[in-house]
Amino acid sequence: MIRILVVEDELSIRSFIVLNLKKAGYAVEEAENGEDALEKFEQHSFDLLLLDVMLPGLNGFQVCQKIRETNVETGIIMLTAKVQDDDKVEGLTIGADDYLTKPFSPKELLARISALLRRINKKPELEELESGAFTLFLKEKRVQKAGHPLVLTPTEFELLMQFMKREGEIITRDELLDLVWGKSYVGDPKIVDVNIRRLRRKIEPQPSSPKYVQTVWGRGYRWAGESE
């Protein structure tokens, strides 16, 4: 059974989320602050976290950052009442896979969770994918560059896989949004650009001058795996 940790300090919102997740068949645990969330995360294994940004004590950004220091497999969706792009970008930059802006409907909540779980648990058709110095071990969801392991989140891994599958082709932002986040995704399409910046920081020798994930201005992105 899929296990989800809901981290939200407002009881009414937390209860609303937990009720809908349990109705959908998920195993759910709750935390009302950042410290409690980290303690439960250390004690138990979770497939996904729903993490509010505005928490007492450690805020959601700090919790996300601490988790990503040791764990990149668990999916993280940030919950925020803020609508400024800077807040969304910050959460995605430090390792969140997606975000939901309050208020949201049960339908949207469950759709985002399902989409992220599909990315995490997607069964590959191939065992390995190679491009230049990069090797993706698809079943284990591991990545190596020139024989050295890279640590990627589920979303970063999925992005890299889509690029490597279509080496040399221009892929638009909308195409990447459909391929990685799903055709039903209704969030900000800038989530693609933020995750690409995050991926570049992990795979590029100089992220500010990328060799592998190249920007084709006005059209999209292109993977050049033989650049080195």
Side-chain angles (χ1 to χ4, degrees), residues 6 24 39 58 75 81 90 106 113 135 152 190 192 203 217 220 226:
V6 178
E39 184 177 342
L58 292 174
E90 182 176 355
I113 289 173
T135 304
L152 304 182
K190 290 181 182 177
V192 175
I203 70 171
W217 296 107
E226 301 286 352

Side-chain angles (χ1 to χ4, degrees), residues 3 21 33 56 66 96 108 111 116 127 152 168 189 203 223 227:
R3 291 174 56 84
L21 293 183
N33 57 58
K66 285 182 176 292
E108 183 180 9
L116 180 51
E127 291 191 359
L152 304 182
I203 70 171
W223 174 255
S227 290

Side-chain angles (χ1 to χ4, degrees), residues 31-197:
E32 61 181 1
N33 57 58
E35 291 80 359
D36 187 25
L38 290 175
E39 184 177 342
K40 289 188 175 181
F41 193 83
E42 289 176 2
Q43 294 173 348
H44 305 284
S45 175
F46 294 99
D47 299 282
L48 189 144
L49 267 69
L50 292 174
L51 181 57
D52 187 38
V53 170
M54 301 300 291
L55 295 170
L58 292 174
N59 65 36
F61 296 138
Q62 293 170 311
V63 173
C64 180
Q65 196 163 26
K66 285 182 176 292
I67 287 174
R68 284 301 187 227
E69 289 173 0
T70 58
N71 180 296
V72 293
E73 293 85 13
T74 300
I76 298 178
I77 299 177
M78 305 293 291
L79 307 177
T80 176
K82 298 181 178 180
V83 295
Q84 291 87 351
D85 283 343
D86 288 348
D87 296 307
K88 297 174 183 177
V89 169
E90 182 176 355
L92 295 170
T93 299
I94 61 178
D97 296 288
D98 200 356
Y99 61 86
L100 267 172
T101 302
K102 301 175 186 176
F104 47 80
S105 68
K107 183 177 180 181
E108 183 180 9
L109 171 67
L110 295 174
R112 294 291 188 89
I113 289 173
S114 295
L116 180 51
L117 289 173
R118 281 196 299 271
R119 296 204 296 275
I120 295 172
N121 300 316
K122 192 173 184 179
K123 294 182 179 179
E125 298 175 3
L126 304 173
E127 291 191 359
E128 293 183 12
L129 190 62
E130 295 188 4
S131 176
F134 294 85
T135 304
L136 265 62
F137 301 92
L138 300 177
K139 289 188 176 180
E140 300 92 345
K141 298 205 171 179
R142 294 187 295 112
V143 186
Q144 288 185 352
K145 179 186 176 186
H148 300 287
L150 299 175
V151 180
L152 304 182
T153 67
T155 301
E156 293 162 356
F157 184 93
E158 186 74 16
L159 266 175
L160 181 57
M161 182 180 71
Q162 296 299 338
F163 279 127
M164 288 175 59
K165 281 182 174 180
R166 297 173 59 176
E167 182 170 349
E169 295 182 34
I170 297 173
I171 311 178
T172 68
R173 179 202 275 174
D174 288 343
E175 285 181 289
L176 287 169
L177 199 63
D178 289 345
L179 289 167
V180 178
W181 284 268
K183 293 182 181 296
S184 61
Y185 184 78
V186 293
D188 191 335
K190 290 181 182 177
I191 193 172
V192 175
D193 308 310
V194 176
N195 276 277
I196 286 176
R197 288 201 298 270

